[in-house]
Amino acid sequence: MFALLGGLNIYFLTENLPGNSRRQSPNYFVAVQISNPRIHENVKRVQRHIVRQARSLHEYMNATPTLHITLMVINVSDRDTHERALKALHNVYDECNEVMCREPLQLEFSGLGNFRDRVLYAKIRRDQQYRRLCSLAECVERHFAKVNIFSTDPRPFDPHLTIAKINFNTREQKGLEKIDRNWYASLINKHIGFQTIAGIQLLCMTSPVDDAGYYTGDSLIFKSPASSKEPQVKKEKDLSRN
């Protein structure tokens, strides 16, 4: 089954999912934020290039303030689940913080790709840093499983930075069947930029965005243990309203 929720590109099946994940749609996700202004500007350039060729495509472009890499999508149905999710997030932080401070994770985005011509994204260079990102996603999955929270998406982890998408759940967008590759062929190898990952987040798909236009949620900022005994937490009030 193909679904797009809350500005996220999510492809998920409802069969063979562990426990309470079966037949549930995601409403929260674990992510790392992509905040580099250079990346935002280059994404906008790709978007503007496409829209100049077809103005009606403007509505399919992702808002750059929301740029992120999804590590896991989950369903949070009540306060208890939310508290367990936060516990798991802190456990991920505790395991990864020291190495992230000692050797910051820096992702390189270069080139464009697509999913079935319905999602256009910037590729992540498949180097050692990419493999570290995959290890971080595995760490997230492992700690959330320990608190009996499982991904609603059974597909293998395939990180990407979404630039544009066709949302078949939106009535107005059903007329467009694909994003034509000719619209971005001249930019297929465009270098987008670098992002040093600053922290890990638990975010809500359905809450209003914050003043900066980003998702609301909890963000644990990687910080040297020598400078602070407790992780720096950026928390949004909306997230606790379950």
Side-chain angles (χ1 to χ4, degrees):
M1 179 180 179
F2 173 88
L4 294 134
L5 299 172
L8 300 177
N9 300 308
I10 300 163
Y11 303 77
F12 63 93
L13 299 172
T14 58
E15 298 176 356
N16 302 321
L17 296 180
N20 293 331
S21 294
R22 184 172 300 171
R23 292 185 298 277
Q24 291 184 328
S25 297
N27 56 358
Y28 278 76
F29 62 106
V30 182
V32 293
Q33 186 173 4
I34 306 303
S35 58
N36 186 344
R38 181 179 178 84
I39 292 178
H40 285 205
E41 181 55 35
N42 281 329
V43 167
K44 288 179 182 178
R45 287 174 182 171
V46 173
Q47 293 174 333
R48 288 194 294 264
H49 177 82
I50 295 174
V51 171
R52 277 197 296 269
Q53 299 173 77
R55 292 186 180 277
S56 62
L57 294 174
H58 175 77
E59 62 187 294
Y60 307 115
M61 302 300 157
N62 268 22
T64 52
T66 67
L67 291 178
H68 65 277
I69 301 296
T70 301
L71 302 180
M72 184 179 185
V73 289
I74 62 174
N75 179 274
V76 176
S77 58
D78 53 35
R79 183 175 297 275
D80 174 70
T81 306
H82 178 244
E83 290 176 352
R84 286 186 284 117
L86 284 178
K87 177 182 178 181
L89 188 75
H90 277 266
N91 289 339
V92 172
Y93 177 92
D94 290 342
E95 179 173 331
C96 300
N97 179 59
E98 184 175 353
V99 67
M100 289 294 186
C101 292
R102 185 174 66 250
E103 301 176 25
L105 173 58
Q106 185 178 72
L107 302 176
E108 180 179 3
F109 297 90
S110 185
L112 305 179
N114 72 83
F115 293 131
R116 298 168 61 189
D117 290 322
R118 298 175 179 179
V119 176
L120 175 65
Y121 61 86
K123 297 178 180 179
I124 305 174
R125 182 181 177 187
R126 303 237 172 169
D127 55 9
Q128 178 61 27
Q129 300 299 303
Y130 174 90
R131 290 188 286 275
R132 290 182 63 197
L133 177 68
C134 292
S135 295
L136 177 60
E138 291 173 0
C139 181
V140 169
E141 183 178 6
R142 173 163 43 84
H143 281 289
F144 274 71
K146 288 181 180 179
V147 297
N148 201 34
I149 297 177
F150 302 92
S151 176
T152 57
D153 183 353
R155 297 173 307 147
F157 182 58
D158 187 8
H160 57 280
L161 184 64
T162 301
I163 295 175
K165 64 182 180 288
I166 299 175
N167 188 345
F168 287 104
N169 288 346
T170 302
R171 183 180 300 275
E172 295 79 15
Q173 296 183 357
K174 289 183 179 179
L176 183 65
E177 295 182 356
K178 68 177 183 177
I179 300 173
D180 194 317
R181 299 182 189 187
N182 291 324
W183 293 334
Y184 57 87
S186 63
L187 301 175
I188 196 69
N189 295 315
K190 181 176 179 57
H191 190 267
I192 304 298
F194 295 88
Q195 175 71 51
T196 299
I197 301 305
I200 189 167
Q201 305 169 326
L202 176 66
L203 304 170
C204 183
M205 297 180 185
T206 56
S207 293
V209 296
D210 61 20
D211 292 340
Y214 192 64
Y215 297 97
T216 54
D218 284 82
S219 180
L220 303 182
I221 308 301
F222 297 131
K223 191 172 184 180
S224 172
S227 61
S228 176
K229 294 182 179 180
E230 296 293 334
Q232 182 179 346
V233 180
K234 292 175 63 178
K235 185 176 180 63
E236 299 292 343
K237 293 180 180 179
D238 298 54
L239 193 63
S240 63
R241 297 175 183 174
N242 294 320

